[in-house]
Amino acid sequence: MSNKGKKGILLVQLGTPDSPTTPDVKKYLTEFLMDPRVIDIPYFQRTLLVKGIIARTRAPKSAKVYETIWDKETGSPLMHYSILQRDLLQEALGEEYHVELAMRYQNPSIEAALKNMEGLFLESIRVIPLFPQYASATSGSVIDRVMELIRKWNYLPEISFVSNFCTDDLMAETYADHARRHDLESFDHFVFSYHGLPVRQLGKVDPTGQLKCPEAGCDSCKTTVNSYCYLSQCYATTRTIAGKLGLKKEQYSLCFQSRLGKEPWIQPYTSDLLHDLAAKGYKKLLIFSPAFVADCIETIDEIGVEYANEFKHLGGEEVCLVESLNDDPKWIESLKQLALNAKN
């Protein structure tokens, strides 16, 4: 039976190891960090760094962390919620659409997902990288890989991509709803922690090579939404969520986590901000992580455990993590609007 006339939706997440074992974690880290859009240095140097040092030394430590968040029944939280998002979106869109899920690194691969879609003779495919803010290392890498694979098809359906959804109203409202599950009045300060990037990657969006970005961003990127500036989109997401909650500027701060290596990454670093807030006498923090649409190792462990313990060691009392979008119906509606290329 031909499915011609159906429309395809491809959801793409970053990825997760197949299991919380050292070999599988090493395999995942190697594929992830060998992507030239992630570590943008020459291939030979990248190979020595990733295969010779990072993957080999980090895999055993990361495997132990993955073990702590790995559910016996549902496995990886990121995979669990991504599958739910796929299935719920399929239900919301109905039979006219075919929804696939892929991981940029590991399984299910983009190649396997597109192979499934190729045989359906879809009239169109809309690709949604599940990253609210655009970065070359995330959404850019997904789009690059999809284009690399799909150009080999003998027929080409209409292809479209969602570059970013950093100020999406329903997405922001979902984060705000999840924050309201906490007693907002009990917190001294609100923190918006995003995944970091090397500073040099901010300037690489300028093909002339003349853009030089300061480590904490320019004044413009903090107020204006730039379609290709990751930092400006992080500020835009923060403003949107804070606006939903009626937060004043002095009530919240923005920072960046998950730094790798010694070169300058976007600042302020989350760890440095925690030190500053503790020094000011703040005791209770509510932390958002709006670079992720599903809870994962960066939210559950890095914020919920690592940063929480660090803040307590500095004299703070409590760090609470705002639950990610996960399988919230309002987020599924947001995904539906993105799939339909509609404004909400």
Side-chain angles (χ1 to χ4, degrees):
M1 179 178 176
S2 173
N3 285 285
K4 190 172 183 179
K6 274 194 173 185
K7 300 173 182 179
I9 305 296
L10 177 60
L11 303 177
V12 187
Q13 253 295 0
L14 186 71
T16 183
D18 291 335
S19 76
T21 62
T22 297
D24 278 345
V25 172
K26 183 178 180 180
K27 184 179 179 182
Y28 166 71
L29 288 175
T30 300
E31 183 182 358
F32 171 36
L33 297 175
M34 280 301 295
D35 185 338
R37 284 181 177 263
V38 175
I39 297 185
D40 52 340
I41 59 177
Y43 176 79
F44 180 72
Q45 296 176 12
R46 188 168 66 252
T47 301
L48 290 178
L49 179 63
V50 174
K51 296 184 178 181
I53 301 176
I54 299 177
R56 180 174 55 83
T57 59
R58 286 174 64 103
K61 299 176 184 177
S62 295
K64 291 180 180 179
V65 176
Y66 273 109
E67 285 180 359
T68 66
I69 69 169
W70 212 270
D71 188 272
K72 292 182 179 179
E73 295 183 1
T74 58
S76 159
L78 181 67
M79 181 65 76
H80 171 63
Y81 286 118
S82 297
I83 290 173
L84 285 176
Q85 290 170 5
R86 177 200 65 192
D87 293 346
L88 290 169
L89 179 60
Q90 180 67 75
E91 181 180 339
L93 288 171
E95 295 184 356
E96 184 183 350
Y97 287 81
H98 174 82
V99 183
E100 284 277 346
L101 169 67
M103 297 288 163
R104 176 60 185 89
Y105 312 106
Q106 295 301 284
N107 302 302
S109 68
I110 294 177
E111 183 174 16
L114 287 176
K115 189 68 176 177
N116 291 340
M117 301 178 91
E118 183 180 13
L120 295 177
F121 295 99
L122 301 166
E123 72 173 43
S124 65
I125 296 176
R126 186 155 175 81
V127 182
I128 307 177
L130 293 171
F131 315 106
Q133 304 81 27
Y134 175 87
S136 174
T138 53
S139 302
S141 180
V142 167
I143 294 169
D144 189 9
R145 181 62 173 156
V146 169
M147 293 174 67
E148 176 189 1
L149 292 167
I150 212 165
R151 67 182 176 84
K152 300 175 184 178
W153 290 15
N154 287 316
Y155 75 94
L156 289 174
E158 179 182 336
I159 308 291
S160 62
F161 299 92
V162 175
S163 176
N164 75 82
F165 46 95
C166 64
T167 57
D168 183 86
D169 188 69
L170 285 173
M171 176 200 69
E173 186 59 47
T174 306
Y175 278 119
D177 285 347
H178 292 185
R180 294 186 188 105
R181 296 172 182 174
H182 302 267
D183 179 9
L184 298 181
E185 297 295 326
S186 68
F187 293 97
D188 302 316
H189 202 68
F190 300 88
V191 175
F192 292 80
S193 182
Y194 293 84
H195 200 289
L197 283 178
V199 176
R200 72 168 186 275
Q201 290 192 10
L202 293 179
K204 291 184 73 172
V205 298
D206 177 13
T208 69
Q210 296 178 1
L211 180 60
K212 305 298 180 184
C213 296
E215 293 177 5
C218 62
D219 291 338
S220 175
C221 74
K222 297 176 182 179
T223 57
T224 305
V225 185
N226 183 316
S227 298
Y228 301 103
C229 176
Y230 174 73
L231 187 55
S232 82
Q233 292 181 35
C234 292
Y235 277 100
T237 300
T238 300
R239 289 193 301 272
T240 306
I241 298 172
K244 296 286 185 182
L245 294 169
L247 299 180
K248 299 177 182 178
K249 288 184 178 180
E250 62 270 18
Q251 290 182 280
Y252 62 88
S253 300
L254 182 148
C255 55
F256 299 89
Q257 64 187 83
S258 307
R259 179 169 40 133
L260 178 65
K262 297 181 180 180
E263 69 173 303
W265 281 46
I266 309 171
Q267 297 184 30
Y269 302 133
T270 301
S271 182
D272 290 348
L273 178 63
L274 294 179
H275 279 72
D276 292 342
L277 295 176
K280 292 177 180 177
Y282 293 134
K283 297 297 183 182
K284 294 188 65 176
L285 306 178
L286 185 63
I287 301 188
F288 299 77
S289 192
F292 304 97
V293 302
D295 278 316
C296 53
I297 192 170
E298 286 85 358
T299 63
I300 299 171
D301 179 76
E302 190 171 6
I303 293 177
V305 177
E306 182 182 336
Y307 288 134
N309 289 337
E310 182 176 359
F311 187 62
K312 289 179 181 178
H313 180 73
L314 294 168
E317 294 177 1
E318 184 179 9
V319 165
C320 288
L321 173 68
V322 176
E323 180 186 355
S324 194
L325 303 175
N326 295 333
D327 58 344
D328 191 292
K330 194 171 289 185
W331 162 234
I332 302 304
E333 178 61 27
S334 176
L335 272 180
K336 179 181 177 181
Q337 298 302 319
L338 291 172
L340 296 173
N341 195 20
K343 299 291 185 181
N344 58 44

